[in-house]
PDB file of all heavy atoms in Angstrom:
ATOM      1  N   ILE A 170     116.263 155.775  72.109  1.00 61.00           N
ATOM      2  CA  ILE A 170     114.949 156.299  71.709  1.00 61.00           C
ATOM      3  C   ILE A 170     114.585 157.503  72.586  1.00 61.00           C
ATOM      4  O   ILE A 170     114.104 158.526  72.101  1.00 61.00           O
ATOM      5  CB  ILE A 170     113.875 155.204  71.813  1.00 61.00           C
ATOM      6  CG1 ILE A 170     114.185 154.096  70.812  1.00 61.00           C
ATOM      7  CG2 ILE A 170     112.481 155.786  71.561  1.00 61.00           C
ATOM      8  CD1 ILE A 170     113.238 152.914  70.887  1.00 61.00           C
ATOM      9  N   ARG A 171     114.826 157.351  73.883  1.00 60.00           N
ATOM     10  CA  ARG A 171     114.515 158.443  74.811  1.00 60.00           C
ATOM     11  C   ARG A 171     115.832 159.040  75.308  1.00 60.00           C
ATOM     12  O   ARG A 171     116.477 158.489  76.191  1.00 60.00           O
ATOM     13  CB  ARG A 171     113.690 157.939  75.992  1.00 60.00           C
ATOM     14  CG  ARG A 171     112.256 157.522  75.609  1.00 60.00           C
ATOM     15  CD  ARG A 171     111.510 157.065  76.845  1.00 60.00           C
ATOM     16  NE  ARG A 171     112.117 155.872  77.408  1.00 60.00           N
ATOM     17  CZ  ARG A 171     111.892 155.457  78.665  1.00 60.00           C
ATOM     18  NH1 ARG A 171     111.124 156.141  79.481  1.00 60.00           N
ATOM     19  NH2 ARG A 171     112.470 154.343  79.102  1.00 60.00           N
ATOM     20  N   VAL A 172     116.209 160.162  74.728  1.00 56.00           N
ATOM     21  CA  VAL A 172     117.446 160.818  75.127  1.00 56.00           C
ATOM     22  C   VAL A 172     117.263 161.493  76.476  1.00 56.00           C
ATOM     23  O   VAL A 172     116.230 162.116  76.728  1.00 56.00           O
ATOM     24  CB  VAL A 172     117.869 161.867  74.057  1.00 56.00           C
ATOM     25  CG1 VAL A 172     119.117 162.602  74.490  1.00 56.00           C
ATOM     26  CG2 VAL A 172     118.092 161.162  72.715  1.00 56.00           C
ATOM     27  N   GLN A 173     118.263 161.387  77.341  1.00 53.00           N
ATOM     28  CA  GLN A 173     118.179 162.012  78.645  1.00 53.00           C
ATOM     29  C   GLN A 173     118.165 163.528  78.530  1.00 53.00           C
ATOM     30  O   GLN A 173     118.839 164.111  77.671  1.00 53.00           O
ATOM     31  CB  GLN A 173     119.349 161.550  79.528  1.00 53.00           C
ATOM     32  CG  GLN A 173     119.377 160.056  79.768  1.00 53.00           C
ATOM     33  CD  GLN A 173     120.074 159.700  81.051  1.00 53.00           C
ATOM     34  OE1 GLN A 173     119.430 159.412  82.047  1.00 53.00           O
ATOM     35  NE2 GLN A 173     121.382 159.707  81.033  1.00 53.00           N
ATOM     36  N   ARG A 174     117.411 164.182  79.409  1.00 55.00           N
ATOM     37  CA  ARG A 174     117.229 165.636  79.310  1.00 55.00           C
ATOM     38  C   ARG A 174     118.538 166.410  79.332  1.00 55.00           C
ATOM     39  O   ARG A 174     118.710 167.352  78.550  1.00 55.00           O
ATOM     40  CB  ARG A 174     116.311 166.126  80.426  1.00 55.00           C
ATOM     41  CG  ARG A 174     115.951 167.599  80.337  1.00 55.00           C
ATOM     42  CD  ARG A 174     114.918 167.989  81.358  1.00 55.00           C
ATOM     43  NE  ARG A 174     113.669 167.265  81.142  1.00 55.00           N
ATOM     44  CZ  ARG A 174     112.614 167.372  81.948  1.00 55.00           C
ATOM     45  NH1 ARG A 174     112.675 168.159  83.026  1.00 55.00           N
ATOM     46  NH2 ARG A 174     111.509 166.697  81.690  1.00 55.00           N
ATOM     47  N   PRO A 175     119.502 166.075  80.207  1.00 53.00           N
ATOM     48  CA  PRO A 175     120.760 166.840  80.202  1.00 53.00           C
ATOM     49  C   PRO A 175     121.543 166.736  78.893  1.00 53.00           C
ATOM     50  O   PRO A 175     122.416 167.556  78.626  1.00 53.00           O
ATOM     51  CB  PRO A 175     121.560 166.231  81.362  1.00 53.00           C
ATOM     52  CG  PRO A 175     120.522 165.628  82.267  1.00 53.00           C
ATOM     53  CD  PRO A 175     119.465 165.115  81.335  1.00 53.00           C
ATOM     54  N   ALA A 176     121.233 165.710  78.086  1.00 50.00           N
ATOM     55  CA  ALA A 176     121.942 165.531  76.809  1.00 50.00           C
ATOM     56  C   ALA A 176     121.345 166.375  75.683  1.00 50.00           C
ATOM     57  O   ALA A 176     121.954 166.491  74.625  1.00 50.00           O
ATOM     58  CB  ALA A 176     121.937 164.067  76.401  1.00 50.00           C
ATOM     59  N   VAL A 177     120.172 166.964  75.923  1.00 45.00           N
ATOM     60  CA  VAL A 177     119.493 167.726  74.867  1.00 45.00           C
ATOM     61  C   VAL A 177     120.343 168.876  74.335  1.00 45.00           C
ATOM     62  O   VAL A 177     120.439 169.075  73.114  1.00 45.00           O
ATOM     63  CB  VAL A 177     118.117 168.215  75.352  1.00 45.00           C
ATOM     64  CG1 VAL A 177     117.500 169.201  74.358  1.00 45.00           C
ATOM     65  CG2 VAL A 177     117.185 167.019  75.544  1.00 45.00           C
ATOM     66  N   PRO A 178     120.980 169.713  75.206  1.00 49.00           N
ATOM     67  CA  PRO A 178     121.800 170.812  74.664  1.00 49.00           C
ATOM     68  C   PRO A 178     122.890 170.339  73.720  1.00 49.00           C
ATOM     69  O   PRO A 178     123.201 171.018  72.740  1.00 49.00           O
ATOM     70  CB  PRO A 178     122.381 171.455  75.921  1.00 49.00           C
ATOM     71  CG  PRO A 178     121.391 171.163  76.990  1.00 49.00           C
ATOM     72  CD  PRO A 178     120.891 169.772  76.674  1.00 49.00           C
ATOM     73  N   THR A 179     123.469 169.179  74.005  1.00 52.00           N
ATOM     74  CA  THR A 179     124.490 168.647  73.100  1.00 52.00           C
ATOM     75  C   THR A 179     123.894 168.331  71.740  1.00 52.00           C
ATOM     76  O   THR A 179     124.466 168.631  70.692  1.00 52.00           O
ATOM     77  CB  THR A 179     125.138 167.376  73.683  1.00 52.00           C
ATOM     78  OG1 THR A 179     125.735 167.701  74.946  1.00 52.00           O
ATOM     79  CG2 THR A 179     126.196 166.816  72.766  1.00 52.00           C
ATOM     80  N   GLY A 180     122.699 167.740  71.743  1.00 49.00           N
ATOM     81  CA  GLY A 180     122.035 167.468  70.486  1.00 49.00           C
ATOM     82  C   GLY A 180     121.664 168.738  69.746  1.00 49.00           C
ATOM     83  O   GLY A 180     121.729 168.787  68.511  1.00 49.00           O
ATOM     84  N   LEU A 181     121.308 169.778  70.488  1.00 42.00           N
ATOM     85  CA  LEU A 181     120.939 171.044  69.858  1.00 42.00           C
ATOM     86  C   LEU A 181     122.109 171.677  69.116  1.00 42.00           C
ATOM     87  O   LEU A 181     121.914 172.456  68.173  1.00 42.00           O
ATOM     88  CB  LEU A 181     120.401 172.030  70.908  1.00 42.00           C
ATOM     89  CG  LEU A 181     119.021 171.698  71.502  1.00 42.00           C
ATOM     90  CD1 LEU A 181     118.671 172.688  72.593  1.00 42.00           C
ATOM     91  CD2 LEU A 181     117.953 171.685  70.420  1.00 42.00           C
ATOM     92  N   LEU A 182     123.323 171.352  69.545  1.00 42.00           N
ATOM     93  CA  LEU A 182     124.503 171.881  68.852  1.00 42.00           C
ATOM     94  C   LEU A 182     124.514 171.493  67.388  1.00 42.00           C
ATOM     95  O   LEU A 182     125.137 172.164  66.561  1.00 42.00           O
ATOM     96  CB  LEU A 182     125.796 171.341  69.500  1.00 42.00           C
ATOM     97  CG  LEU A 182     126.322 172.070  70.743  1.00 42.00           C
ATOM     98  CD1 LEU A 182     127.513 171.329  71.298  1.00 42.00           C
ATOM     99  CD2 LEU A 182     126.684 173.504  70.419  1.00 42.00           C
ATOM    100  N   ALA A 183     123.814 170.408  67.074  1.00 46.00           N
ATOM    101  CA  ALA A 183     123.786 169.943  65.684  1.00 46.00           C
ATOM    102  C   ALA A 183     122.963 170.853  64.781  1.00 46.00           C
ATOM    103  O   ALA A 183     123.098 170.813  63.554  1.00 46.00           O
ATOM    104  CB  ALA A 183     123.222 168.528  65.632  1.00 46.00           C
ATOM    105  N   LEU A 184     122.116 171.696  65.375  1.00 44.00           N
ATOM    106  CA  LEU A 184     121.263 172.568  64.571  1.00 44.00           C
ATOM    107  C   LEU A 184     122.048 173.765  64.052  1.00 44.00           C
ATOM    108  O   LEU A 184     122.885 174.328  64.786  1.00 44.00           O
ATOM    109  CB  LEU A 184     120.071 173.049  65.403  1.00 44.00           C
ATOM    110  CG  LEU A 184     119.131 171.952  65.911  1.00 44.00           C
ATOM    111  CD1 LEU A 184     118.045 172.565  66.794  1.00 44.00           C
ATOM    112  CD2 LEU A 184     118.512 171.181  64.750  1.00 44.00           C
ATOM    113  N   PRO A 185     121.806 174.184  62.823  1.00 51.00           N
ATOM    114  CA  PRO A 185     122.519 175.342  62.259  1.00 51.00           C
ATOM    115  C   PRO A 185     122.346 176.589  63.125  1.00 51.00           C
ATOM    116  O   PRO A 185     121.234 176.913  63.541  1.00 51.00           O
ATOM    117  CB  PRO A 185     121.857 175.533  60.878  1.00 51.00           C
ATOM    118  CG  PRO A 185     121.318 174.176  60.541  1.00 51.00           C
ATOM    119  CD  PRO A 185     120.886 173.573  61.847  1.00 51.00           C
ATOM    120  N   GLY A 186     123.452 177.244  63.431  1.00 48.00           N
ATOM    121  CA  GLY A 186     123.422 178.503  64.160  1.00 48.00           C
ATOM    122  C   GLY A 186     123.447 178.362  65.671  1.00 48.00           C
ATOM    123  O   GLY A 186     123.724 179.342  66.368  1.00 48.00           O
ATOM    124  N   VAL A 187     123.156 177.173  66.202  1.00 43.00           N
ATOM    125  CA  VAL A 187     123.086 177.019  67.652  1.00 43.00           C
ATOM    126  C   VAL A 187     124.463 177.119  68.295  1.00 43.00           C
ATOM    127  O   VAL A 187     124.619 177.699  69.363  1.00 43.00           O
ATOM    128  CB  VAL A 187     122.409 175.680  68.025  1.00 43.00           C
ATOM    129  CG1 VAL A 187     122.501 175.423  69.523  1.00 43.00           C
ATOM    130  CG2 VAL A 187     120.949 175.702  67.577  1.00 43.00           C
ATOM    131  N   ALA A 188     125.487 176.572  67.637  1.00 46.00           N
ATOM    132  CA  ALA A 188     126.845 176.659  68.198  1.00 46.00           C
ATOM    133  C   ALA A 188     127.270 178.119  68.334  1.00 46.00           C
ATOM    134  O   ALA A 188     127.846 178.513  69.362  1.00 46.00           O
ATOM    135  CB  ALA A 188     127.827 175.904  67.332  1.00 46.00           C
ATOM    136  N   ALA A 189     126.976 178.929  67.305  1.00 53.00           N
ATOM    137  CA  ALA A 189     127.320 180.344  67.378  1.00 53.00           C
ATOM    138  C   ALA A 189     126.547 181.022  68.507  1.00 53.00           C
ATOM    139  O   ALA A 189     127.078 181.892  69.206  1.00 53.00           O
ATOM    140  CB  ALA A 189     127.028 181.014  66.039  1.00 53.00           C
ATOM    141  N   LEU A 190     125.287 180.623  68.687  1.00 45.00           N
ATOM    142  CA  LEU A 190     124.477 181.184  69.777  1.00 45.00           C
ATOM    143  C   LEU A 190     125.068 180.802  71.129  1.00 45.00           C
ATOM    144  O   LEU A 190     125.201 181.642  72.033  1.00 45.00           O
ATOM    145  CB  LEU A 190     123.042 180.681  69.668  1.00 45.00           C
ATOM    146  CG  LEU A 190     122.078 181.112  70.785  1.00 45.00           C
ATOM    147  CD1 LEU A 190     121.941 182.623  70.813  1.00 45.00           C
ATOM    148  CD2 LEU A 190     120.718 180.442  70.599  1.00 45.00           C
TER     149      LEU A 190
END
Side-chain angles (χ1 to χ4, degrees):
I170 295 177
R171 291 181 296 162
V172 177
Q173 299 206 102
R174 185 173 298 177
V177 170
T179 300
L181 289 176
L182 277 175
L184 298 177
V187 172
L190 177 62

